Amino acid sequence: MPFDARVIRVMVASPGDVVAERAFMREQCYRWNAAHAERERTVLLPLMWEYDSAPLLHTNGAQAAINDQMTGRADLLVGIFWSRMGTPTAAHDSGTVEEITALHEAGRPVLLYFSTRPLPSDVDVDQLTKVRAFQSQMEKAGLVRTFDSPEEFGALTYDHLTRVLHDRFGAGPERAGNPTTAPEPAARLVAGMEVHADTKGERVLLVIENTGTGAAEAVRFTFKHGFFASPLVTHREPIHGLEAGRKVAIPLASLPVSLFTRERIPQLEVTMSWVEHGHRFTSVQTITTS
């Protein structure tokens, strides 16, 4: 029998040296669909330039043609690197970086992976240097993952896709059949930032307080401002059991600074989510960092 489902478009972004990984990524989307689509009323649609773009000319070049046909449609992005950075564009080091930038600045999830398998014998040292520099930059900005084979990449992405779909898109078993309406949350999370001076310099804390009347479980938070803004969060596990009237302080690496301009960012958008009564709730708040 037919069933209604929403479609989440997964863009696979990479230079041309990770053909096997791109094929695995496409297969993982179809594998996820086979296991989850009907039960969770969610279908993954992989977007790849070799299958989903037409060879159209564009006054601003090939990358602009891909952006028009694919990048603006994507709901999340999986970025893959190995030995090559790719072809530079007018604004970025490569088309892949331009796609990553566009999706992240639009507030859509970006998953980044770097291969550690043996390099090709004809490796371009300049390209490899750019990849290593970009990887170092992204490791300072958030979490990235490495893998040593296409098979390991496939296993990682299946698990990570499932987590992102549940946390960011609300996919899950509760979507099956006739979903129940979530009750109003009793918890209320409020975020703020504190800066304390000590002998080692500034100590920066993100403070999350539960000002509601119920407990918040499995609290997670993310920052957003432009492209991969600092600070680097040192607290990576969910916060469990934030009771009503309680607060928690999470140490940050530094005050938020743009990775490209190195200028202080005066405000950050913080997205907080938590579980209550078996449902995940989300709250978005802008906090001042000065």
Side-chain angles (χ1 to χ4, degrees), residues 42-263:
T42 301
V43 173
L44 300 187
L45 178 66
L47 291 181
M48 304 172 67
W49 71 265
E50 57 266 48
Y51 298 108
D52 301 295
S53 62
L56 298 173
L57 297 181
H58 196 288
T59 55
N60 293 323
Q63 185 59 48
I66 291 175
N67 291 345
D68 282 355
Q69 296 181 63
M70 293 176 50
T71 309
R73 298 166 51 211
D75 299 301
L76 68 88
L77 180 144
V78 176
I80 317 164
F81 294 90
W82 178 30
S83 65
R84 294 187 58 80
M85 194 68 175
T87 303
T89 67
H92 297 279
D93 286 340
S94 72
T96 304
V97 174
E98 184 165 322
E99 292 157 6
I100 290 169
T101 304
L103 265 290
H104 186 75
E105 289 184 344
R108 299 167 193 167
V110 173
L111 303 175
L112 286 182
Y113 300 87
F114 292 85
S115 175
T116 59
R117 59 190 170 101
L119 296 168
S121 58
D122 60 345
V123 63
D124 184 318
V125 176
D126 181 60
Q127 285 277 314
L128 180 61
T129 300
K130 290 180 179 179
V131 171
R132 294 290 184 260
F134 182 68
Q135 181 177 354
S136 177
Q137 184 181 32
M138 294 301 96
E139 286 173 344
K140 294 175 183 177
L143 298 179
V144 304
R145 289 300 295 265
T146 59
F147 62 93
D148 60 17
S149 69
E151 292 77 13
E152 183 186 9
F153 171 76
L156 285 173
T157 52
Y158 187 89
D159 290 341
H160 296 162
L161 275 175
T162 301
R163 179 175 300 178
V164 170
L165 290 168
H166 289 181
D167 288 351
R168 295 293 296 273
F169 293 95
E174 64 274 10
R175 286 183 59 86
N178 297 315
T180 57
T181 301
E184 288 296 319
R188 182 175 183 270
L189 302 189
V190 178
M193 190 170 288
E194 296 181 357
V195 181
H196 302 276
D198 57 28
T199 56
K200 297 181 180 180
E202 291 182 329
R203 186 164 177 259
V204 184
L205 301 173
L206 173 69
V207 179
I208 297 179
E209 182 177 5
N210 183 355
T211 63
T213 59
E217 299 290 339
V219 179
R220 294 182 180 273
F221 56 90
T222 58
F223 295 101
K224 188 178 80 169
H225 187 289
F227 183 80
F228 287 110
S230 295
L232 173 66
V233 177
T234 57
H235 182 95
R236 294 180 178 177
E237 294 300 320
I239 303 164
H240 296 290
L242 186 57
E243 300 290 336
R246 302 291 298 274
K247 66 175 66 175
V248 62
I250 301 98
L252 306 180
S254 64
L255 284 168
V257 175
S258 168
L259 290 178
F260 294 110
T261 67
R262 307 310 303 173
E263 295 178 352

